[in-house]
Amino acid sequence: MLASVFILTVSDVLTKWLTAGYPPGQLICLRSTVILALVLALSAPRRRWTGIRMRSPGAHFTRGVFACAGSFLFVLGIKYLPLANAMSIGFAGPLLITALAGPMLGERVGWRRWSAVLVGFVGVLVILRPGAEGFHWAAMVLLAATLFGSLRDIVTRRISATESSTSLLLSTNLCMVAFGLLSVVQGWNMPGARDAALLALSGVLIGSGHYLQIEAFRQAEAGTVVPFRYTGLLWAILLGWLVFGDVPGTGMLTGAALVVGSGLFILYRERRLGGGRPHPAGPGVRIPGYRWDDTQ
């Protein structure tokens, strides 16, 4: 997870750099084309075609749609806001997943975790600063991107027990390429040699980072690996300062602390409640030992 977070943060830096000259749809399409080429190139020599078999095509498509919407909105929003701000808003994902766990996964969320969700959303408001002079509409775009990313993660949680990491990468990026091609009506810019290399590198980084992240969730409990996601904020602050000269303000740091603290508390409560949570295959498949009473 640590390697995945660093790799994906570097890819975000490249994406923010490239948004100055290319529309979001083009960036998404070209990056995903590189990822698709990598997946097929790595699968072909070893004849590992069974690894890309999709046992639940409908779920793959749904995940791909959520991923497309989240990626488009993220690329659009990151163009206008500092990297650290974008990353902090993205950390609201676990809060949204907790809030959606009941209706979508059949999980019961008790008052302690609901309290953490509310505190976390206060942190999001501190970062967004609605109504303040420094408010930017792109912050709401990034919040919407976080919502779609959370929906994507929930679908991943439901199907990761039956679907391979390679098949998830393949289906998602097929959707990304198709979605990106639709944006050609907005006009595309022909990249030069340097930008083409950066686009290719971005695709390699994103593909590698997402694969490592999927594998991290497959090999360990979410409560073990998710806290390491928050190291991305440190990389975002450092790289945002080195590359773009962005210095985070007190409000952003305060809001980020509330969001991160709430996310970590939610993970702590889930671990206290025991490992027997509903199986990633979906509600109704339970592991013995799960405590449904989250009131203590």
Side-chain angles (χ1 to χ4, degrees):
M1 180 60 77
L2 284 172
S4 169
V5 168
F6 174 72
I7 289 171
L8 291 175
T9 306
V10 173
S11 74
D12 289 342
V13 172
L14 293 177
T15 297
K16 181 173 175 61
W17 182 275
L18 291 166
T19 54
Y22 304 94
Q26 181 180 3
L27 292 177
I28 291 171
C29 181
L30 295 179
R31 292 185 327 189
S32 296
T33 300
V34 173
I35 297 172
L36 278 178
L38 286 174
V39 171
L40 296 175
L42 292 174
S43 299
R46 301 179 181 179
R47 299 179 181 273
R48 298 176 62 181
W49 302 115
T50 56
I52 61 177
R53 182 182 303 166
M54 302 176 196
R55 295 176 174 83
S56 303
H60 277 270
F61 177 75
T62 301
R63 183 181 186 275
V65 170
F66 289 149
C68 287
S71 294
F72 179 84
L73 293 173
F74 179 79
V75 174
L76 178 63
I78 203 175
K79 178 178 181 178
Y80 301 100
L81 288 182
L83 191 63
N85 292 54
M87 183 75 72
S88 300
I89 295 171
F91 285 150
L95 309 178
L96 293 171
I97 290 175
T98 299
L100 295 171
M104 296 192 69
L105 291 175
E107 299 183 17
R108 178 175 178 177
V109 179
W111 69 271
R112 296 178 188 274
R113 280 183 287 166
W114 273 119
S115 299
V117 168
L118 293 176
V119 171
F121 281 129
V122 169
V124 172
L125 290 176
V126 172
I127 297 171
L128 296 180
R129 295 191 299 169
E133 183 178 349
F135 174 76
H136 198 289
W137 58 267
M140 296 303 299
V141 171
L142 286 167
L143 186 60
T146 302
L147 173 60
F148 282 110
S150 300
L151 293 172
R152 176 205 63 205
D153 289 345
I154 287 176
V155 175
T156 304
R157 181 172 174 176
R158 290 180 65 97
I159 66 176
S160 61
T162 58
E163 306 297 324
S164 69
S165 301
T166 305
S167 69
L168 290 171
L169 275 177
L170 180 66
S171 63
T172 300
N173 285 283
L174 280 172
C175 291
M176 293 279 198
V177 171
F179 172 82
L181 288 174
L182 293 177
S183 69
V184 71
V185 295
Q186 297 180 335
W188 279 22
N189 300 324
M190 182 62 65
R194 187 196 66 173
D195 286 354
L198 292 177
L199 279 165
L201 177 59
S202 177
V204 172
L205 292 174
I206 291 174
S208 303
H210 283 168
Y211 183 86
L212 290 173
Q213 198 163 102
I214 292 170
E215 284 300 306
F217 281 111
R218 191 186 304 282
Q219 300 298 329
E221 294 180 0
T224 302
V225 297
V226 168
F228 294 103
R229 270 185 172 178
Y230 296 112
T231 60
L233 181 58
L234 301 178
W235 290 118
I237 292 173
L238 177 61
L239 295 176
W241 172 63
L242 291 175
V243 179
F244 304 106
D246 296 328
V247 179
T250 303
M252 193 286 292
L253 293 175
T254 301
L258 291 173
V259 173
V260 170
S262 299
L264 290 174
F265 179 79
I266 288 172
L267 290 171
Y268 164 75
R269 283 298 301 166
E270 289 181 348
R271 298 194 73 175
R272 280 288 303 272
L273 293 173
R277 306 189 61 77
H279 192 272
V285 182
R286 303 192 188 132
I287 305 170
Y290 181 75
R291 290 166 53 191
W292 284 97
D293 183 10
D294 183 17
T295 59
Q296 301 179 14

